[in-house]
Amino acid sequence: MVCSAGRGNTMVEGLLLIGILLVAVAGIVLATARLKLHPFLALIAAAFFVGVTTGMPLPELAVHITDGFGNMMRSIGLVIAAGTLIGVILEKSGGALRMAEVVLRRVGESRPQLAMSITGAIASVPVFCDSGFVILSSLNKAIAKRAQVSLASMSVALATGLYATHTLVPPTPGPIAAAGNLGVEEHLGLVILIGLVVAIPTIAVGYLWAMRVAIAVPTSTETEPLDHEAITVHFGKLPSTAASFAPIVVPILLIGLGSVIAFTGYTGFGHELGRFLGTPVVALFVGLLFAFRLMPKWNEATLSGWIADGIKAAAPILLITGAGGAFGAVLSATKLSGLIQGLAEGGLFGGPFVLVLPFLIAAAMKTAQGSSTAALVLTSALVAPFLAGMGIASPVQLALVVMSIGAGAMTVSHANDSYFWVVTQFSGIAVKDAYKAFTLATLVQGLTAFAMAFALYAVLG
């Protein structure tokens, strides 16, 4: 009788904890989607709610919130700041446009949609996808007219290419923040590699959707020749190809080098320097030094103005990421982690099916409140405390969880997403047509990315 009563009390306590978690998640979604509360405040409020309702001592709750915020900033804050600054400099200097022109020349104007898809995928690694679409819009229209192809298909190819790497491949801030929340930031090279593997079929299905579905969609925007004179006035002389690609390529190579040294256990000549330069924060700041070479002049407008714009862009991401760390720390301090571990040991989660829950939560967050970056950060903060109990511990497994969250953060872009409106307004696609041409494309992309992550987990996990 005593044992039965004990099991009954444990079951009631478990159901109560799950109820508290569901209320907290629903509160975050409602606050961000309906009340338009900033995700930073929504996460902090949720952290206090969970702590109080689970009976955590108030002084202990305050410590968990402040420590969680501080620990997250210490591990990933500078990386996010540096990555955002690189993206802003590439955008303002014309480096992103130069990269687009280079890809177009290499791929060839006989395959314009493919050229724009690849261009978008490259440009969105450091640059936010909505900014990237605005920057490349005039080039997109000019190529559409010159090649006599559908502007809608060109726009969807560009938009889906941008979208894939924006949610899957560091050093884009969203995936970096998710990697930090999950504690895999020291293996960022692995996350980049797996992100690229998952992104390739995701980009491909976006391209195929542009060629098979969007190609029949009408647009109201006229395609005009690329105004090189206007570009010269706006950017001055565009940076060289090498200078434009260096801020992206150099950090990725350095992070890859550090990962190889760590994986192989190499201790020969230069291993300490290699591991130092391969540390994500060092590699990103090296990339930032290369980005400074793109500035037309080193003056107050660039060294102060451009940097200030980058800091403004990074600030919301940093605050959301830190708040996610605070929320995760509070969740970790409750008995929820033990409950999830018990469910996992009972066979509820097994093999690649552990990726289903992070994907569904991220998809719900994305669909409800619109921001892919917020969905990545919120979901990773929510699931991080429970991963060990679900048997997810290795860097490869954690990287694939980042991918499943990124896949959910793609699903779907619709009217509450600013990117949806950037694509429709700059392309002249009617809203009713955009749901077919673009929103459904993001659904297919999200499902493809998740299927790829699922398959990789089955093989590598």
Side-chain angles (χ1 to χ4, degrees), residues 177-225:
N181 278 336
L182 300 186
V184 73
E185 69 277 2
E186 293 183 1
H187 302 277
L188 201 58
L190 178 66
V191 180
I192 292 172
L193 177 62
I194 292 178
L196 290 171
V197 172
V198 174
I200 289 172
T202 306
I203 296 164
V205 298
Y207 165 70
L208 291 174
W209 192 271
M211 294 296 293
R212 300 297 175 87
V213 178
I215 200 165
V217 172
T219 61
S220 60
T221 300
E222 292 293 327
T223 53
E224 299 176 355

Short mmCIF file of all heavy atoms in Angstrom, two decimals, residues 177-225:
data_model
loop_
_atom_site.label_atom_id
_atom_site.label_comp_id
_atom_site.label_asym_id
_atom_site.label_seq_id
_atom_site.Cartn_x
_atom_site.Cartn_y
_atom_site.Cartn_z
N ALA A 177 23.34 30.42 -31.65
CA ALA A 177 22.69 30.51 -30.35
C ALA A 177 22.14 29.15 -29.91
O ALA A 177 22.26 28.77 -28.74
CB ALA A 177 21.56 31.54 -30.40
N ALA A 178 21.56 28.41 -30.85
CA ALA A 178 21.04 27.08 -30.52
C ALA A 178 22.17 26.15 -30.11
O ALA A 178 22.04 25.38 -29.14
CB ALA A 178 20.28 26.50 -31.72
N ALA A 179 23.30 26.21 -30.82
CA ALA A 179 24.45 25.39 -30.45
C ALA A 179 24.94 25.75 -29.05
O ALA A 179 25.31 24.87 -28.27
CB ALA A 179 25.58 25.58 -31.47
N GLY A 180 24.93 27.04 -28.73
CA GLY A 180 25.33 27.46 -27.40
C GLY A 180 24.39 26.96 -26.33
O GLY A 180 24.81 26.49 -25.27
N ASN A 181 23.10 27.05 -26.58
CA ASN A 181 22.11 26.57 -25.61
C ASN A 181 22.25 25.07 -25.36
O ASN A 181 22.04 24.60 -24.24
CB ASN A 181 20.70 26.86 -26.11
CG ASN A 181 20.26 28.28 -25.82
OD1 ASN A 181 20.76 28.92 -24.91
ND2 ASN A 181 19.32 28.78 -26.61
N LEU A 182 22.62 24.33 -26.39
CA LEU A 182 22.74 22.88 -26.25
C LEU A 182 24.13 22.44 -25.80
O LEU A 182 24.38 21.25 -25.63
CB LEU A 182 22.40 22.19 -27.58
CG LEU A 182 20.99 22.44 -28.14
CD1 LEU A 182 20.75 21.58 -29.37
CD2 LEU A 182 19.92 22.17 -27.09
N GLY A 183 25.03 23.41 -25.62
CA GLY A 183 26.36 23.08 -25.11
C GLY A 183 27.29 22.46 -26.11
O GLY A 183 28.22 21.74 -25.74
N VAL A 184 27.08 22.72 -27.40
CA VAL A 184 27.93 22.13 -28.43
C VAL A 184 28.73 23.19 -29.16
O VAL A 184 29.27 22.95 -30.25
CB VAL A 184 27.05 21.30 -29.42
CG1 VAL A 184 26.24 22.22 -30.33
CG2 VAL A 184 27.88 20.32 -30.21
N GLU A 185 28.87 24.40 -28.55
CA GLU A 185 29.58 25.49 -29.21
C GLU A 185 31.06 25.18 -29.40
O GLU A 185 31.71 25.71 -30.31
CB GLU A 185 29.41 26.80 -28.43
CG GLU A 185 30.10 26.86 -27.07
CD GLU A 185 29.28 26.23 -25.97
OE1 GLU A 185 28.18 25.71 -26.26
OE2 GLU A 185 29.72 26.27 -24.81
N GLU A 186 31.63 24.30 -28.56
CA GLU A 186 33.04 23.94 -28.72
C GLU A 186 33.25 23.05 -29.95
O GLU A 186 34.39 22.85 -30.38
CB GLU A 186 33.55 23.22 -27.47
CG GLU A 186 33.61 24.13 -26.24
CD GLU A 186 34.19 23.41 -25.04
OE1 GLU A 186 34.56 22.22 -25.19
OE2 GLU A 186 34.28 24.02 -23.97
N HIS A 187 32.19 22.51 -30.48
CA HIS A 187 32.26 21.66 -31.68
C HIS A 187 31.53 22.35 -32.84
O HIS A 187 30.84 21.69 -33.62
CB HIS A 187 31.65 20.29 -31.40
CG HIS A 187 32.31 19.56 -30.26
ND1 HIS A 187 33.46 18.83 -30.42
CD2 HIS A 187 31.99 19.46 -28.95
CE1 HIS A 187 33.82 18.31 -29.26
NE2 HIS A 187 32.94 18.67 -28.36
N LEU A 188 31.72 23.66 -32.94
CA LEU A 188 30.98 24.42 -33.95
C LEU A 188 31.36 23.99 -35.37
O LEU A 188 30.53 24.05 -36.28
CB LEU A 188 31.24 25.92 -33.77
CG LEU A 188 30.21 26.87 -34.38
CD1 LEU A 188 28.82 26.61 -33.83
CD2 LEU A 188 30.62 28.33 -34.14
N GLY A 189 32.60 23.56 -35.57
CA GLY A 189 32.99 23.05 -36.89
C GLY A 189 32.14 21.87 -37.30
O GLY A 189 31.74 21.76 -38.46
N LEU A 190 31.86 20.99 -36.36
CA LEU A 190 30.99 19.84 -36.65
C LEU A 190 29.58 20.31 -36.98
O LEU A 190 28.95 19.77 -37.90
CB LEU A 190 30.98 18.91 -35.44
CG LEU A 190 30.08 17.67 -35.54
CD1 LEU A 190 30.59 16.74 -36.62
CD2 LEU A 190 30.02 16.96 -34.19
N VAL A 191 29.08 21.29 -36.24
CA VAL A 191 27.74 21.82 -36.51
C VAL A 191 27.68 22.43 -37.91
O VAL A 191 26.70 22.24 -38.65
CB VAL A 191 27.33 22.85 -35.45
CG1 VAL A 191 25.93 23.39 -35.74
CG2 VAL A 191 27.37 22.24 -34.05
N ILE A 192 28.73 23.16 -38.29
CA ILE A 192 28.79 23.75 -39.63
C ILE A 192 28.77 22.66 -40.69
O ILE A 192 28.03 22.74 -41.68
CB ILE A 192 30.05 24.63 -39.78
CG1 ILE A 192 29.94 25.88 -38.90
CG2 ILE A 192 30.24 25.04 -41.24
CD1 ILE A 192 31.22 26.71 -38.85
N LEU A 193 29.60 21.63 -40.49
CA LEU A 193 29.68 20.53 -41.48
C LEU A 193 28.34 19.83 -41.63
O LEU A 193 27.85 19.63 -42.75
CB LEU A 193 30.76 19.54 -41.05
CG LEU A 193 30.91 18.30 -41.93
CD1 LEU A 193 31.30 18.70 -43.34
CD2 LEU A 193 31.96 17.34 -41.33
N ILE A 194 27.73 19.45 -40.51
CA ILE A 194 26.44 18.77 -40.58
C ILE A 194 25.37 19.72 -41.12
O ILE A 194 24.49 19.31 -41.89
CB ILE A 194 26.05 18.24 -39.18
CG1 ILE A 194 26.99 17.09 -38.78
CG2 ILE A 194 24.60 17.75 -39.16
CD1 ILE A 194 26.73 16.51 -37.42
N GLY A 195 25.47 21.00 -40.75
CA GLY A 195 24.52 21.98 -41.27
C GLY A 195 24.58 22.08 -42.79
O GLY A 195 23.55 22.17 -43.46
N LEU A 196 25.78 22.05 -43.34
CA LEU A 196 25.93 22.10 -44.79
C LEU A 196 25.36 20.85 -45.45
O LEU A 196 24.70 20.93 -46.50
CB LEU A 196 27.41 22.25 -45.16
CG LEU A 196 28.05 23.61 -44.82
CD1 LEU A 196 29.55 23.55 -45.04
CD2 LEU A 196 27.43 24.72 -45.68
N VAL A 197 25.60 19.69 -44.83
CA VAL A 197 25.06 18.43 -45.38
C VAL A 197 23.53 18.47 -45.39
O VAL A 197 22.89 18.06 -46.38
CB VAL A 197 25.57 17.24 -44.56
CG1 VAL A 197 24.87 15.95 -45.00
CG2 VAL A 197 27.08 17.09 -44.72
N VAL A 198 22.93 18.94 -44.31
CA VAL A 198 21.47 19.02 -44.23
C VAL A 198 20.93 20.09 -45.15
O VAL A 198 19.86 19.96 -45.75
CB VAL A 198 21.02 19.27 -42.77
CG1 VAL A 198 19.52 19.51 -42.69
CG2 VAL A 198 21.42 18.11 -41.88
N ALA A 199 21.69 21.18 -45.30
CA ALA A 199 21.21 22.31 -46.10
C ALA A 199 21.16 22.00 -47.59
O ALA A 199 20.31 22.54 -48.31
CB ALA A 199 22.10 23.53 -45.86
N ILE A 200 22.06 21.15 -48.08
CA ILE A 200 22.12 20.90 -49.53
C ILE A 200 20.80 20.37 -50.09
O ILE A 200 20.25 20.95 -51.04
CB ILE A 200 23.30 19.96 -49.87
CG1 ILE A 200 24.62 20.71 -49.67
CG2 ILE A 200 23.20 19.45 -51.31
CD1 ILE A 200 25.85 19.83 -49.78
N PRO A 201 20.22 19.28 -49.56
CA PRO A 201 18.92 18.85 -50.09
C PRO A 201 17.81 19.85 -49.79
O PRO A 201 16.84 19.94 -50.55
CB PRO A 201 18.67 17.51 -49.38
CG PRO A 201 19.53 17.54 -48.17
CD PRO A 201 20.73 18.33 -48.54
N THR A 202 17.94 20.59 -48.70
CA THR A 202 16.94 21.60 -48.35
C THR A 202 16.93 22.72 -49.39
O THR A 202 15.87 23.19 -49.80
CB THR A 202 17.23 22.16 -46.95
OG1 THR A 202 17.33 21.09 -46.02
CG2 THR A 202 16.13 23.10 -46.51
N ILE A 203 18.11 23.15 -49.80
CA ILE A 203 18.22 24.15 -50.87
C ILE A 203 17.69 23.58 -52.18
O ILE A 203 16.99 24.26 -52.93
CB ILE A 203 19.69 24.59 -51.04
CG1 ILE A 203 20.18 25.30 -49.77
CG2 ILE A 203 19.86 25.51 -52.25
CD1 ILE A 203 21.70 25.42 -49.70
N ALA A 204 18.00 22.32 -52.43
CA ALA A 204 17.59 21.67 -53.69
C ALA A 204 16.08 21.62 -53.83
O ALA A 204 15.53 21.91 -54.91
CB ALA A 204 18.19 20.27 -53.78
N VAL A 205 15.36 21.27 -52.75
CA VAL A 205 13.90 21.20 -52.87
C VAL A 205 13.29 22.59 -53.03
O VAL A 205 12.27 22.75 -53.72
CB VAL A 205 13.26 20.46 -51.67
CG1 VAL A 205 13.74 19.03 -51.60
CG2 VAL A 205 13.50 21.18 -50.36
N GLY A 206 13.93 23.60 -52.44
CA GLY A 206 13.47 24.96 -52.66
C GLY A 206 13.63 25.37 -54.12
O GLY A 206 12.74 26.00 -54.71
N TYR A 207 14.75 24.99 -54.70
CA TYR A 207 15.00 25.26 -56.12
C TYR A 207 14.00 24.53 -57.01
O TYR A 207 13.43 25.11 -57.95
CB TYR A 207 16.43 24.85 -56.46
CG TYR A 207 16.72 24.74 -57.94
CD1 TYR A 207 16.79 25.88 -58.74
CD2 TYR A 207 16.91 23.50 -58.54
CE1 TYR A 207 17.06 25.77 -60.10
CE2 TYR A 207 17.17 23.38 -59.89
CZ TYR A 207 17.25 24.53 -60.67
OH TYR A 207 17.49 24.42 -62.01
N LEU A 208 13.75 23.26 -56.70
CA LEU A 208 12.79 22.49 -57.50
C LEU A 208 11.38 23.07 -57.37
O LEU A 208 10.62 23.10 -58.35
CB LEU A 208 12.80 21.02 -57.05
CG LEU A 208 14.07 20.24 -57.39
CD1 LEU A 208 14.02 18.85 -56.77
CD2 LEU A 208 14.26 20.15 -58.90
N TRP A 209 11.03 23.54 -56.16
CA TRP A 209 9.71 24.16 -55.98
C TRP A 209 9.61 25.44 -56.82
O TRP A 209 8.57 25.71 -57.43
CB TRP A 209 9.49 24.48 -54.50
CG TRP A 209 8.07 24.86 -54.19
CD1 TRP A 209 7.52 26.12 -54.23
CD2 TRP A 209 7.00 23.98 -53.81
NE1 TRP A 209 6.20 26.08 -53.89
CE2 TRP A 209 5.85 24.78 -53.62
CE3 TRP A 209 6.93 22.61 -53.59
CZ2 TRP A 209 4.63 24.24 -53.23
CZ3 TRP A 209 5.71 22.07 -53.21
CH2 TRP A 209 4.58 22.88 -53.03
N ALA A 210 10.69 26.19 -56.88
CA ALA A 210 10.71 27.41 -57.69
C ALA A 210 10.52 27.07 -59.17
O ALA A 210 9.83 27.79 -59.90
CB ALA A 210 12.01 28.17 -57.48
N MET A 211 11.13 25.97 -59.61
CA MET A 211 11.08 25.60 -61.02
C MET A 211 9.75 24.96 -61.41
O MET A 211 9.30 25.10 -62.55
CB MET A 211 12.23 24.63 -61.34
CG MET A 211 13.60 25.25 -61.20
SD MET A 211 13.89 26.59 -62.38
CE MET A 211 13.91 25.68 -63.93
N ARG A 212 9.11 24.25 -60.48
CA ARG A 212 7.91 23.50 -60.83
C ARG A 212 6.62 24.21 -60.42
O ARG A 212 5.59 24.03 -61.09
CB ARG A 212 7.95 22.12 -60.15
CG ARG A 212 9.14 21.28 -60.56
CD ARG A 212 9.12 20.96 -62.04
NE ARG A 212 10.30 20.25 -62.46
CZ ARG A 212 10.45 18.93 -62.43
NH1 ARG A 212 9.46 18.19 -61.96
NH2 ARG A 212 11.57 18.36 -62.85
N VAL A 213 6.63 24.98 -59.36
CA VAL A 213 5.42 25.61 -58.84
C VAL A 213 5.44 27.12 -59.02
O VAL A 213 4.53 27.70 -59.63
CB VAL A 213 5.21 25.25 -57.35
CG1 VAL A 213 3.95 25.94 -56.82
CG2 VAL A 213 5.11 23.74 -57.17
N ALA A 214 6.47 27.77 -58.51
CA ALA A 214 6.52 29.24 -58.54
C ALA A 214 6.64 29.79 -59.95
O ALA A 214 6.28 30.94 -60.20
CB ALA A 214 7.68 29.73 -57.68
N ILE A 215 7.13 28.99 -60.87
CA ILE A 215 7.35 29.47 -62.23
C ILE A 215 6.06 29.89 -62.91
O ILE A 215 6.05 30.71 -63.84
CB ILE A 215 8.09 28.39 -63.06
CG1 ILE A 215 8.75 29.01 -64.28
CG2 ILE A 215 7.12 27.25 -63.45
CD1 ILE A 215 9.76 28.10 -64.94
N ALA A 216 4.92 29.37 -62.43
CA ALA A 216 3.63 29.70 -63.03
C ALA A 216 2.92 30.84 -62.31
O ALA A 216 1.81 31.22 -62.69
CB ALA A 216 2.73 28.46 -63.02
N VAL A 217 3.54 31.40 -61.28
CA VAL A 217 2.91 32.46 -60.48
C VAL A 217 3.19 33.82 -61.10
O VAL A 217 4.34 34.14 -61.39
CB VAL A 217 3.44 32.41 -59.02
CG1 VAL A 217 2.95 33.62 -58.23
CG2 VAL A 217 3.00 31.12 -58.35
N PRO A 218 2.15 34.64 -61.30
CA PRO A 218 2.37 35.97 -61.88
C PRO A 218 2.93 36.95 -60.85
O PRO A 218 2.81 36.74 -59.64
CB PRO A 218 0.96 36.38 -62.30
CG PRO A 218 0.06 35.68 -61.34
CD PRO A 218 0.73 34.37 -61.05
N THR A 219 3.55 38.02 -61.32
CA THR A 219 4.04 39.08 -60.44
C THR A 219 3.60 40.43 -61.00
O THR A 219 3.35 40.57 -62.20
CB THR A 219 5.58 39.08 -60.34
OG1 THR A 219 6.14 39.30 -61.64
CG2 THR A 219 6.08 37.76 -59.80
N SER A 220 3.51 41.41 -60.11
CA SER A 220 3.12 42.76 -60.54
C SER A 220 4.31 43.69 -60.71
O SER A 220 4.18 44.81 -61.17
CB SER A 220 2.17 43.37 -59.50
OG SER A 220 2.81 43.47 -58.24
N THR A 221 5.52 43.20 -60.35
CA THR A 221 6.71 44.04 -60.42
C THR A 221 7.40 43.85 -61.76
O THR A 221 7.61 42.71 -62.21
CB THR A 221 7.69 43.66 -59.28
OG1 THR A 221 7.02 43.85 -58.04
CG2 THR A 221 8.94 44.52 -59.33
N GLU A 222 7.74 44.95 -62.37
CA GLU A 222 8.45 44.89 -63.64
C GLU A 222 9.92 44.55 -63.38
O GLU A 222 10.54 45.05 -62.45
CB GLU A 222 8.37 46.24 -64.37
CG GLU A 222 6.97 46.58 -64.88
CD GLU A 222 6.52 45.64 -65.98
OE1 GLU A 222 7.37 45.18 -66.76
OE2 GLU A 222 5.31 45.34 -66.06
N THR A 223 10.49 43.69 -64.23
CA THR A 223 11.92 43.41 -64.14
C THR A 223 12.68 44.47 -64.91
O THR A 223 12.36 44.78 -66.06
CB THR A 223 12.22 42.02 -64.73
OG1 THR A 223 11.69 41.93 -66.05
CG2 THR A 223 11.59 40.94 -63.87
N GLU A 224 13.68 45.04 -64.27
CA GLU A 224 14.44 46.13 -64.87
C GLU A 224 15.91 45.75 -64.96
O GLU A 224 16.41 44.96 -64.15
CB GLU A 224 14.29 47.40 -64.02
CG GLU A 224 12.84 47.88 -63.90
CD GLU A 224 12.73 49.06 -62.96
OE1 GLU A 224 13.75 49.43 -62.36
OE2 GLU A 224 11.62 49.60 -62.84
N PRO A 225 16.63 46.35 -65.94
CA PRO A 225 18.05 46.07 -66.03
C PRO A 225 18.77 46.53 -64.77
O PRO A 225 18.34 47.47 -64.10
CB PRO A 225 18.49 46.90 -67.25
CG PRO A 225 17.24 47.16 -68.02
CD PRO A 225 16.15 47.23 -67.01
#
